[in-house]
């Protein structure tokens, strides 16, 4: 694999030398881009000797100027930024391209993995956290910083993970198998109108479904993403279909079901809808208001009854009796797998960038996964499809 390593101005830049060496020993070709500040910590010559390639720093170096950032952007199979300072993270999140590294990242279509390394307070700052969330939503993988004594002698989260750990994650990334299938993914929270200005919904943000669609596209799958309410940009390359209500989602899913190889149903579909939707805004008058609700169709259950070759994966967001409730749902809806999680756990609920899941198969296998990013969990779910 051709790996482009970006090194920025952090004291942890010295670890990037070992990362380069380990990547080379694993059989990869490595080229390095350094920011000007990175050269204050480690010399260009060090990386050139280890990588056996010229190191890029200045876009306008004399006398042999060329559009090197475009060449490197096209050359790379993977871009790794380690260490990544708050500055480069902010640049990437906001599309700023004012040096070789930031310009190359803006120009590349290769997957990007970022390893933040900085002071604990800088990492926890709202600006940095917002930028990291933006990058995650775009499909950029973030390797979580380690906790320990930092260069500033404070103790907390912000250390660059050890080179061996980072390289192991890169090698795992290389081993992701292709997914030559047509996949239907549902995502988001359906809404059920009460009147022209009000509706019933839930807390789902759609992040899990969008993460699955993002990772599936990277593996070569053809993806139909049917999305209810979600404040996210659809991943590039998917066939995107909007379906706000449960009835709309039901119709769209059934319309495309026969053409796909698998369905991953992450959407949080409302169980009930308002029987009589008011055509005018309901005015506040009496002390109480009664809404009559009727049951929505159970999309997964219908798919389980009519499936032929398709694999069905459902989700069970529970607050109690996780395994019991998930296993019942698995049986009743004739699913191949179910992904269960307790949404009351820290790091596993709605609107989080992480999840803590349990896989349960129709053959009775139970696999408990640790807390991980939703992008990483998406890959684990896709691995299930490949293995089966």
């Amino acid at each position: 694999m051709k790996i482009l390593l970006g090194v920025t101005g952090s004291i942890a830049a010295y670890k990037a030398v070992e990362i380069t060496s380990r990547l080379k020993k694993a059989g990869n070709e490595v080229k390095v881009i350094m920011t000007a500040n990175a050269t204050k910590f480690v010399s260009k010559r060090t990386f050139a000797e280890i990588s056996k390639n010229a190191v890029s720093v200045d876009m306008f170096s004399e006398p042999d100027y060329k559009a090197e950032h475009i060449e490197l952007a096209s050359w790379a199979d993977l871009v790794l930024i380690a260490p990544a300072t708050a500055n480069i993270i902010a640049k990437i999140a906001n599309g700023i391209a004012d040096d070789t590294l930031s310009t190359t990242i803006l120009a590349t279509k290769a997957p990007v993995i970022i390893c933040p390394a900085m002071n604990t307070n800088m990492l926890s700052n709202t600006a940095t956290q917002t930028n990291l969330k933006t990058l995650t939503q775009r499909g950029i993988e973030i390797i979580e910083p380690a906790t320990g004594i930092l260069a500033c002698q404070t103790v907390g989260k912000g250390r660059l993970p050890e080179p061996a750990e980072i390289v192991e994650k890169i090698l795992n990334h290389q081993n992701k198998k292709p997914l030559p299938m047509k996949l239907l993914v549902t995502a988001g929270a359906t809404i059920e109108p009460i009147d022209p200005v009000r509706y019933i919904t839930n807390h789902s943000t759609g992040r899990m479904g969008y993460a699955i669609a993002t990772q599936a596209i990277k593996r070569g799958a053809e993806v139909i993403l049917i999305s209810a309410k979600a404040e996210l940009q659809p991943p590039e390359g998917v066939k995107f279909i909007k379906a706000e209500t449960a009835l709309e989602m039901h119709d769209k899913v059934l319309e495309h079901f026969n053409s796909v190889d698998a369905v991953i149903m992450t959407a949080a579909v409302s169980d009930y809808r308002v029987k009589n939707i008011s055509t005018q805004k309901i005015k506040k008058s009496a002390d109480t208001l009664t809404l009559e609700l009727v049951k929505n169709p159970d999309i997964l259950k219908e798919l389980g009854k009519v499936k032929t070759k398709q694999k069905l994966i459902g989700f069970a967001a529970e607050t109690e009796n996780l395994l019991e409730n998930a296993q019942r749902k698995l049986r009743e809806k004739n699913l191949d797998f179910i992904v269960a999680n307790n949404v009351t756990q820290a790091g596993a609920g709605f609107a989080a960038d992480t999840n803590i899941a349990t896989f349960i198969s129709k053959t009775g296998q139970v696999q408990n996964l640790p807390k991980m990013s939703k992008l990483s969990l998406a890959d684990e779910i896709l691995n299930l499809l490949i293995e089966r």
Side-chain angles (χ1 to χ4, degrees), residues 110-153:
V112 177
I113 297 177
I114 290 177
C115 302
M118 65 195 76
N119 168 268
T120 299
N121 292 338
M122 294 174 69
L123 179 64
S124 63
N125 187 282
T126 302
T128 303
Q129 289 301 309
T130 299
N131 290 333
L132 288 170
K133 286 182 180 179
T134 297
L135 297 180
T136 299
Q137 289 169 5
R138 291 180 190 164
I140 291 177
E141 184 175 344
I142 309 296
I143 295 179
E144 286 292 310
T147 299
I149 301 176
L150 308 180
C152 54
Q153 297 306 303

Side-chain angles (χ1 to χ4, degrees), residues 132-189:
L132 288 170
K133 286 182 180 179
T134 297
L135 297 180
T136 299
Q137 289 169 5
R138 291 180 190 164
I140 291 177
E141 184 175 344
I142 309 296
I143 295 179
E144 286 292 310
T147 299
I149 301 176
L150 308 180
C152 54
Q153 297 306 303
T154 58
V155 177
K157 192 173 183 179
R159 285 174 56 90
L160 186 72
E162 292 306 309
E165 180 183 342
I166 293 172
V167 171
E168 182 181 1
K169 289 181 181 293
I170 300 303
L171 298 180
N172 289 338
H173 189 280
Q174 292 174 325
N175 292 331
K176 290 177 184 175
K177 296 179 180 178
L179 191 67
M181 64 168 58
K182 189 171 183 180
L183 185 62
L184 190 157
V185 181
T186 68

Side-chain angles (χ1 to χ4, degrees), residues 283-360:
K283 297 296 183 181
K284 182 168 61 176
S285 54
D287 290 337
T288 61
L289 174 67
T290 301
L291 293 174
E292 185 176 0
L293 304 179
V294 294
K295 208 170 193 178
N296 274 321
D298 190 324
I299 302 172
L300 258 181
K301 194 169 185 177
E302 286 192 35
L303 298 181
K305 290 178 179 178
V306 301
K307 71 175 184 178
T308 53
K309 61 182 176 64
Q310 297 92 343
K311 296 294 182 185
L312 289 183
I313 296 180
F315 274 67
E318 304 292 343
T319 58
E320 60 181 356
N321 302 324
L322 181 70
L323 287 179
E324 179 184 339
N325 289 333
Q327 287 168 336
R328 183 173 62 250
K329 185 174 182 179
L330 176 79
R331 292 191 303 270
E332 290 177 352
K333 303 191 180 186
N334 192 25
L335 306 180
D336 294 281
F337 295 94
I338 194 162
V339 181
N341 66 308
N342 185 336
V343 295
T344 64
Q345 281 186 286
F350 297 114
D353 291 319
T354 58
N355 209 338
I356 306 169
T358 298
F359 291 165
I360 308 171

Side-chain angles (χ1 to χ4, degrees), residues 200-213:
I200 299 169
T201 190
N202 56 72
H203 294 296
S204 176
T205 61
R207 290 180 185 176
M208 192 68 248
Y210 278 63
I212 292 170

Side-chain angles (χ1 to χ4, degrees), residues 60-108:
F60 303 100
S61 58
E62 298 290 348
D64 185 28
Y65 169 73
K66 57 184 177 179
E68 191 171 29
H69 57 294
I70 302 300
E71 290 187 7
L72 290 170
S74 301
W75 172 85
D77 295 319
L78 175 74
V79 179
L80 170 67
I81 307 176
T85 59
N87 185 54
I88 193 66
I89 290 168
K91 286 183 182 181
I92 300 168
N94 292 281
I96 296 172
D98 62 356
D99 61 8
T100 306
L101 181 57
S102 58
T103 307
T104 302
I105 294 166
L106 198 62
T108 192

